[in-house]
Amino acid sequence: MAESPAALAPWQQQLTPRLRRRVERLLEQQQEQPGWHGALPVLLLERCWLRMSVAPIAQLARMLPPDSSADAPELSLFRQLRADGLDGLEAQDRCWQEFGREACTEALRRFWSAQEQGNHGWTLERYLHLVEQYRRQLEQPGSRPIPLLVLARDGSGDAHQLLWCWPGAQPVGHTCP
């Protein structure tokens, strides 16, 4: 008997029955892992193709590179100077003195290029947050989840969606032991 979509956990709703079984097997294996290490899985779901790949956490940044263009030192200094009260031109002049005009221009070009190409919200900050949250959850006693990144469709302005797959997700109203 098929379960109604509303009775499934959010991560289960994104997957076909075959992919749900695959994730459940991975979750069983995850419960036996000896703590934090680079081979822990991160699931990447391409919704359009209903294709899921597994990336070791140590390889995630290589397989799905986060956009770090906003974190360039030239742009970080500019934002800090603006936050300190300098107007835009003064902040720009200080950045040019510190890094040179060409380096500042290149950092800005890389930033705007990344904005135009779109990164689906997959920034260095989001990547680091995922890694930190994953590690924290695995270092706590109890069940061990696996992160599932539902990748946004190419050309859409949507952000990649992060869901956490927890073992033993029971349908709502499930009362059997």
Side-chain angles (χ1 to χ4, degrees):
M1 180 172 153
E3 300 173 69
S4 73
L8 299 174
W11 67 268
Q12 292 171 320
Q13 293 174 19
Q14 300 284 333
L15 304 174
T16 65
R18 181 183 59 79
L19 289 176
R20 279 197 299 267
R21 287 189 298 275
R22 183 175 176 204
V23 172
E24 288 164 1
R25 284 191 302 274
L26 289 167
L27 282 166
E28 287 174 16
Q29 294 169 2
Q30 181 82 328
Q31 304 319 299
E32 300 168 7
Q33 293 297 316
W36 180 256
H37 56 85
L40 292 168
V42 176
L43 308 176
L44 304 172
L45 176 65
E46 297 176 66
R47 283 186 307 193
C48 292
W49 303 104
L50 292 175
R51 182 172 38 207
M52 186 176 68
S53 57
V54 179
I57 188 70
Q59 301 293 317
L60 181 60
R62 189 172 306 130
M63 292 178 73
L64 187 65
D67 172 25
S68 62
S69 62
D71 299 307
E74 300 87 348
L75 301 181
S76 295
L77 177 60
F78 180 83
R79 284 191 300 274
Q80 181 60 50
L81 293 170
R82 293 287 291 147
D84 291 346
L86 268 66
D87 72 31
L89 286 176
E90 289 175 311
Q92 177 180 298
D93 285 343
R94 292 268 298 273
C95 288
W96 285 4
Q97 290 170 9
E98 178 75 21
F99 297 105
R101 182 178 180 173
E102 285 183 34
C104 292
T105 303
E106 180 60 22
L108 201 53
R109 187 196 64 72
R110 280 192 311 270
F111 172 76
W112 284 114
S113 178
Q115 298 305 302
E116 288 172 0
Q117 291 172 1
N119 60 13
H120 300 289
W122 188 241
T123 61
L124 180 62
E125 181 180 355
R126 281 192 67 203
Y127 164 75
L128 292 174
H129 178 73
L130 180 151
V131 171
E132 186 249 324
Q133 190 175 6
Y134 196 8
R135 181 179 205 132
R136 193 170 358 112
Q137 289 175 345
L138 285 178
E139 290 175 343
Q140 295 178 6
S143 297
R144 299 164 157 263
I146 298 175
L148 168 67
L149 276 169
V150 180
L151 304 178
R153 290 178 173 89
D154 284 340
S156 77
D158 297 339
H160 296 322
Q161 182 183 12
L162 173 62
L163 301 174
W164 289 93
C165 303
W166 289 89
Q170 296 293 329
V172 175
H174 183 80
T175 58
C176 298

